Amino acid sequence: MPRKVCVVVTARPSYSRIRTALDAIRAHPDLELQLVVAASALLERYGDAVAVMEEEGFRIDRRVYMVVEGENLTTSAKTTGIGLTELATVFDNLGPDIVVTVADRYETMATAVAASYMNIPLAHVQGGEVTGSIDEKVRHAVTKLSDLHLVSSESARERVLRMGERHEAVHMTGCPSIDLAKEALDAEPRNITELISQYGGVGAEVDLSGGYVVVMQHPVTTEVEQARKHAEETLHAVSKAGKPALWFWPNVDAGSDGTSKAIRIFREQNLLPNVHFYRNFRPLDFLSLLINSRGIIGNSSVAIRECAYLGVPAINIGSRQAGRDRGRNVTDIGYDRDAIRAEIERLFERGDRPRDMIYGDGSAGRNIADVLASAELTIEKMLTY
Amino acid sequence: MPRKVCVVVTARPSYSRIRTALDAIRAHPDLELQLVVAASALLERYGDAVAVMEEEGFRIDRRVYMVVEGENLTTSAKTTGIGLTELATVFDNLGPDIVVTVADRYETMATAVAASYMNIPLAHVQGGEVTGSIDEKVRHAVTKLSDLHLVSSESARERVLRMGERHEAVHMTGCPSIDLAKEALDAEPRNITELISQYGGVGAEVDLSGGYVVVMQHPVTTEVEQARKHAEETLHAVSKAGKPALWFWPNVDAGSDGTSKAIRIFREQNLLPNVHFYRNFRPLDFLSLLINSRGIIGNSSVAIRECAYLGVPAINIGSRQAGRDRGRNVTDIGYDRDAIRAEIERLFERGDRPRDMIYGDGSAGRNIADVLASAELTIEKMLTY
Amino acid sequence: MPRKVCVVVTARPSYSRIRTALDAIRAHPDLELQLVVAASALLERYGDAVAVMEEEGFRIDRRVYMVVEGENLTTSAKTTGIGLTELATVFDNLGPDIVVTVADRYETMATAVAASYMNIPLAHVQGGEVTGSIDEKVRHAVTKLSDLHLVSSESARERVLRMGERHEAVHMTGCPSIDLAKEALDAEPRNITELISQYGGVGAEVDLSGGYVVVMQHPVTTEVEQARKHAEETLHAVSKAGKPALWFWPNVDAGSDGTSKAIRIFREQNLLPNVHFYRNFRPLDFLSLLINSRGIIGNSSVAIRECAYLGVPAINIGSRQAGRDRGRNVTDIGYDRDAIRAEIERLFERGDRPRDMIYGDGSAGRNIADVLASAELTIEKMLTY
Amino acid sequence: MPRKVCVVVTARPSYSRIRTALDAIRAHPDLELQLVVAASALLERYGDAVAVMEEEGFRIDRRVYMVVEGENLTTSAKTTGIGLTELATVFDNLGPDIVVTVADRYETMATAVAASYMNIPLAHVQGGEVTGSIDEKVRHAVTKLSDLHLVSSESARERVLRMGERHEAVHMTGCPSIDLAKEALDAEPRNITELISQYGGVGAEVDLSGGYVVVMQHPVTTEVEQARKHAEETLHAVSKAGKPALWFWPNVDAGSDGTSKAIRIFREQNLLPNVHFYRNFRPLDFLSLLINSRGIIGNSSVAIRECAYLGVPAINIGSRQAGRDRGRNVTDIGYDRDAIRAEIERLFERGDRPRDMIYGDGSAGRNIADVLASAELTIEKMLTY
């Protein structure tokens, strides 16, 4: 009997991050994939991940709406509570042998608590990293609820062990998002103008022939009040720099209202004649966009992880990625419009594309499936000290 | 303006454990107590803690029913989800400056997630201990969500620090349950026969004049299937030993159905002519009962903590308290009716009452209030390594 | 394509009441049965209906724990809310063409609201009856949410029409519980002593050879405070009458704590040497028990419905069945121990067994399946006046 | 002791509709107002009713976030379930003597079920009307759960009685929204250009000097799939007519995504140079806007109720208001761009402003408070037939 592996996908970026592992689980002779899609992964305004998943041939076993509207901290907590209640029912009905949860979005706690409370071995992908903000708390709390740790880097492995997890439970698999980056890099070159024409979006028509940048800035959940101000600094910088920019809307999170409002006001004042806005691209399309860009700006983890592998220069703004291992592609900077602007201009001069394998070499999906198929499953554990 | 400290009490034993801290918070000039009573603390069949609290003069700010019936692992998860959803509303309405959560019962995760997600500084009482079973996962996960750690022993402090918490956030206050133990020990001697006569209970009339034992055995959540068998071993031992025994029913937990069924069957077969059964005593009454007993049998944490301070001999059965710091009063033993019986008999011969202060010296409540009043409040943290 | 008919069973008595319809739906070539088991139907202490259903060959499509513990009015409301939230997910995943809800237990509102809000045609079995108490409100509210009314009697049909429902939406099918009664009556005679020996139960051994009565008394939800007092009147009467009695515990409902406590106290005072207590019988066994009894006492609807068909004399106590159509088998009486006792004694003298077909002739299950297969499905309706 | 009257407000339009009753309850010597704000009434993108309420001097007793994101039928049901669960806690903590629920939005069922299940007398404002669509089912189901009916018109009273409610429980108070209409009509004339300048909004600058129309079109929940198409017909008509139009975004409801998308696409194609879009106005401002307009277009109940009293011509499109009593101000029309356009043009020629008092004369708020203060409170009821 193959092991039933239940993966809960709660957001578009999580899907991208785990996709090659889903492929490998589905293909593995000793594993059976159970796929639960929940939270913003079901919602059109956050990229309709479920539609993408179905397009890419995945059969969805359960769909769970759980996002409570308000985009504030209270509703983040409530969303997680509803998800926890419902995922318990889902797991009770599906009877998985292992549950997999991905990374550190707030609602992953629903998956982690449900599985661990139900004595289902819990595998956590991307534990052991450090970032600050609420993600930091969530990630390490999930580590303490998990039985199997599928980490993305050597320093992450080290930290998970130092938190008291057992050696045999921690596996350095690399990050599956790097698998996609490898796929994109190995693929035929794309025509970027054609590529973006599929996606509509709103805002100015931009000419990409002289190079362009990609912008992706999320609110920081422990700095919700400043979300709007933080967005404004980047908006000013991008506006002043005047370089062609493709800007991606933020995830649903406490604070995204502030970010969205800042963008809307800039747009209404016509301050962004060089910017086109998008909701979401298919992952490989997005990676091609990065590969062909001058660099990425904002605070997305893509800048830290995929772009390290790809060698795409990144301007990382503020505290959201604090503490994450960085490749040589990253320049850190504060919420300061002038400094950001100067860095944007430097992207158009810079020639190097330094590549680092810190988050894996492109085989993470397969590694994860192999660990899920072969690891001893247990739900008992104690601190190693 | 005093700091508003919101304490969430979810079970009768948690109330006992935190009561002196509640007193001290209420009395502290720089603190304002907000009291939320939830889960089994509202239910008659688990001791009606809310009634006791009102009797003892506490004003209840909010009551939240959340226990989903079934007493299995699925319903533990669902209970936590409902609690999380509702506590978010409660915190949103009460606006506390600090939330306090106690120990490691599964539903404490609801409090911890709600507060941490809402950027309310979270203080955790009794982190850093080790026990095995799901409590172990819950406790350390709550540690990773908490901003302030009010630990009960030096080794607990050490473990919290090793998990990567900051030095200035970890305070060794001792365990407030020891404050009650001190109070009981310092009080006038009680007439035990009179004391128990207030509580009714069911089962045999027992003669306490020649000494008696107290029994308290909970199901182990990661060994739910064996709950009934584990209870049977103790039942056989107590039955065979024939010594007067006062037996307390288990908490609401996955597995308590099994334990209860084992007891019921023994009772119907009249195998327990030496045992009287109780639901719950008021904490000080229960402590007096222990002080006057020959010892305690089972797997309750009372045997490990309060009884260390009191010097009451304890027969600790099975894995539930594995890894907790022990005083010299504890004898560990497996699920083995003959061995348990032999130890029960030894209790009636043993003369020593060794006392150890490992869980505090009786001033924990005051210590906790002082930390809550003076600690710097922050919600940002990162691993120290 | 057969129509997918989703039936939600939330309690042991509802299952008994709908079982022949489930059989007929399953057997119908144009229907596909989807079975959801929820609420107390999953709980051992309310008869473990789900186990019975599986024994009887039904495949359960989804299981939903939803009963919030407390057995008070607040938790009835919360149970319904949780059920509603989760059944929405269930219906979203199962995609039924019709949803069927049964009768008027409080939690049926969860099924009714979920289906009607999701534009799934809702069929209601047993609308249009009158009883008083909260069931009355629930039943008629469900009627107003339903698109298809499968009523049990002519007077029920009349009432549903008067409430403004369309003629073509109301079908007099009879009550499926009568189908079972017919089955039991047509079956080989049973040896009752053997029959009851399978069920254990607690209390006195009773000798059935000289005749016996069956007792079934539920708390009335709008009279929760008096639940205990009401139970006591019956307990006194049964105790004094001294006739062999088989007593069935009440359903989970607000007030059942009061009823249970009254019973427990009587038992502990040894006032019931003529009574044996049971949780639940399999439906056919229970019907055989009634057929062979001198009569039924209490306020169960079984006394009004099945016993009308069977001609079993019934002493109906208090307001719970007020307004329901009665056969000649029923004697109504107040909460009065002496009067109840006199009626019990009369049961042992009475010779007649008057049968009435007011709730159907035993073909309701088939009738229901036929309507579900052939009725025009619509979700739009308006008052007919 | 004054009666504690708990009013649950779940949406901006419900607040407008009930406001004068809130004033009257607050002012009544025998009543104490408890105010619960929930659902979309807490959300900025639906008009932030809670902010308006605080501005207007109301103290909010509890806030309950409950809207599950998705704007589809599944999430409507889930929203209601979460509301029901949480409102039960709220009522348990507030202990009201009466609960008031307003009209027929889907989430009002949460209030109605919670109160009726908890044996709290439930007063329903605006029962007995007919409209078709899911509101129809909700409204009459709430009637069957309610103990006191505060209806807005004589024909509504008639219908509630025919559904089997008792005479003494049904009170024709008029609709409190008419009180506001009276207030607006009696007030000093306003400068409309100044008035709208406070609200920002998006879209074209429009010149109101030659007259303007107001547009308000909601999706019909039983026709969700066509929501977008329905919106498009109106958009085409308004675009072609070319008259200055002030367009208000729809409520949060299943289907509002479709409506919003239709609007967005029209805007991006620059087809609406004569339209300015708004979220929400303060009620009196909105009424002044209507009083000064040529007429209202769409399917809002404002067109049927307030505009009957005010005599503002209304073009009522489609099925949403089917069956509601109409004044002479209303012209009914299908989803047909050409017909709608013709009617818009006719508004600019029409001279009459026919006024009808069918929904009350402007004293409803006071009437409601008087009934709440004096009515006999009961929770028991039965069909009158």
Side-chain angles (χ1 to χ4, degrees), chain D residues 93-286:
Chain D
N93 280 282
L94 289 178
D97 297 306
I98 310 177
V99 164
V100 177
T101 192
V102 186
D104 50 29
R105 288 179 57 86
Y106 69 86
E107 74 274 11
T108 58
M109 188 65 87
T111 307
V113 174
S116 60
Y117 279 28
M118 293 171 75
N119 284 355
I120 306 167
L122 176 67
H124 184 209
V125 175
Q126 284 183 16
E129 309 194 8
V130 284
T131 54
S133 97
I134 185 66
D135 301 356
E136 176 90 11
K137 291 178 175 171
V138 171
R139 187 183 321 106
H140 304 324
V142 172
T143 290
K144 300 315 296 180
L145 296 171
S146 296
D147 305 291
L148 214 49
H149 310 275
L150 308 165
V151 301
S152 294
S153 69
E154 279 305 326
S155 56
R157 188 221 292 263
E158 188 55 34
R159 285 188 212 97
V160 169
L161 291 171
R162 291 186 69 174
M163 279 190 277
E165 299 298 301
R166 293 167 309 122
H167 250 280
E168 56 275 30
V170 190
H171 303 262
M172 158 60 188
T173 57
C175 177
S177 63
I178 304 304
D179 304 6
L180 273 196
K182 181 176 191 312
E183 206 176 304
L185 204 59
D186 295 351
E188 294 289 304
R190 309 279 300 274
N191 177 320
I192 294 302
T193 308
E194 244 168 48
L195 188 159
I196 63 172
S197 69
Q198 310 162 50
Y199 287 98
V202 298
E205 293 305 305
V206 291
D207 173 12
L208 307 184
S209 58
Y212 60 90
V213 292
V214 171
V215 191
M216 209 167 195
Q217 183 158 340
H218 303 288
V220 179
T221 44
T222 48
E223 306 167 357
V224 164
E225 252 96 90
Q226 300 102 295
R228 187 166 160 187
K229 209 207 137 301
H230 290 168
E232 285 169 358
E233 293 300 312
T234 308
L235 284 159
H236 273 293
V238 170
S239 172
K240 284 279 175 59
K243 303 291 186 184
L246 308 177
W247 191 307
F248 288 79
W249 291 90
N251 293 338
V252 59
D253 263 325
S256 58
D257 259 8
T259 307
S260 299
K261 185 174 288 181
I263 296 174
R264 234 179 285 122
I265 286 169
F266 261 72
R267 287 195 58 209
E268 299 198 353
Q269 301 176 333
N270 297 312
L271 291 173
L272 299 167
N274 57 322
V275 185
H276 202 81
F277 290 87
Y278 294 99
R279 290 267 163 218
N280 265 293
F281 273 28
R282 269 176 288 277
L284 285 174
D285 288 353
F286 185 64

Side-chain angles (χ1 to χ4, degrees), chain B residues 8-323:
Chain B
V8 182
V9 174
T10 60
R12 173 87 186 236
S14 310
Y15 170 59
S16 308
R17 193 155 290 176
I18 197 70
R19 211 214 67 193
T20 62
L22 295 180
D23 285 333
I25 294 167
R26 191 162 51 159
H28 201 290
D30 301 336
L31 299 176
E32 176 188 327
L33 178 61
Q34 298 178 326
L35 203 45
V36 178
V37 181
S40 70
L42 290 171
L43 300 178
E44 212 180 312
R45 70 175 180 125
Y46 306 106
D48 210 354
V50 71
V52 179
M53 294 168 81
E54 284 177 332
E55 253 175 67
E56 297 185 354
F58 288 103
R59 194 174 53 79
I60 313 301
D61 289 281
R62 289 293 190 286
R63 307 153 61 97
V64 181
Y65 289 96
M66 59 189 253
V67 177
V68 177
E69 203 164 333
E71 286 166 35
N72 56 46
L73 298 166
T74 303
T75 56
S76 296
K78 297 185 79 161
T79 294
T80 308
I82 292 161
L84 169 47
T85 307
E86 297 225 24
L87 289 173
T89 301
V90 166
F91 297 157
D92 184 41
N93 280 282
L94 289 179
D97 297 306
I98 311 177
V99 165
V100 177
T101 192
V102 186
D104 50 29
R105 289 179 55 86
Y106 69 86
E107 74 272 10
T108 58
M109 188 65 86
T111 308
V113 174
S116 59
Y117 279 28
M118 294 172 76
N119 284 357
I120 307 167
L122 176 67
H124 183 210
V125 175
Q126 285 183 19
E129 309 194 7
V130 282
T131 55
S133 95
I134 185 66
D135 301 356
E136 177 90 11
K137 290 178 176 172
V138 171
R139 189 183 317 106
H140 303 325
V142 173
T143 290
K144 299 316 295 180
L145 296 171
S146 296
D147 304 291
L148 214 48
H149 310 276
L150 307 166
V151 302
S152 292
S153 69
E154 279 304 327
S155 56
R157 188 221 292 261
E158 186 55 35
R159 284 187 214 98
V160 169
L161 291 171
R162 291 188 68 176
M163 279 189 276
E165 299 299 301
R166 293 166 312 121
H167 250 280
E168 56 276 29
V170 190
H171 302 263
M172 157 60 188
T173 58
C175 176
S177 63
I178 304 303
D179 302 7
L180 273 196
K182 181 176 190 309
E183 206 177 303
L185 203 59
D186 294 351
E188 294 290 304
R190 309 279 298 274
N191 177 319
I192 293 302
T193 307
E194 245 168 50
L195 187 159
I196 63 172
S197 69
Q198 309 163 51
Y199 286 97
V202 296
E205 294 303 306
V206 291
D207 174 11
L208 308 183
S209 61
Y212 61 91
V213 293
V214 171
V215 190
M216 209 166 194
Q217 183 157 340
H218 303 289
V220 179
T221 43
T222 48
E223 305 168 356
V224 165
E225 252 95 273
Q226 299 102 296
R228 186 164 162 188
K229 209 207 136 301
H230 291 168
E232 285 170 357
E233 293 300 311
T234 308
L235 283 159
H236 273 292
V238 169
S239 172
K240 283 281 174 58
K243 302 293 188 184
L246 307 177
W247 192 307
F248 288 79
W249 291 90
N251 292 338
V252 57
D253 263 326
S256 58
D257 260 6
T259 307
S260 298
K261 186 175 288 184
I263 295 175
R264 236 179 283 123
I265 286 170
F266 261 73
R267 287 195 58 209
E268 297 198 355
Q269 301 176 335
N270 298 311
L271 289 173
L272 299 167
N274 57 321
V275 184
H276 202 82
F277 289 89
Y278 295 98
R279 289 265 163 216
N280 266 292
F281 274 27
R282 269 175 287 278
L284 284 175
D285 289 352
F286 185 64
L287 288 161
S288 294
L289 203 68
L290 288 172
I291 291 167
N292 287 279
S293 76
R294 294 290 177 154
I296 179 167
I297 298 159
N299 59 10
S300 168
S301 64
V302 166
I304 307 295
R305 306 172 84 86
E306 286 87 337
C307 291
Y309 178 86
L310 296 171
V312 174
I315 306 175
N316 177 62
I317 303 170
S319 63
R320 192 163 178 265
Q321 301 298 332

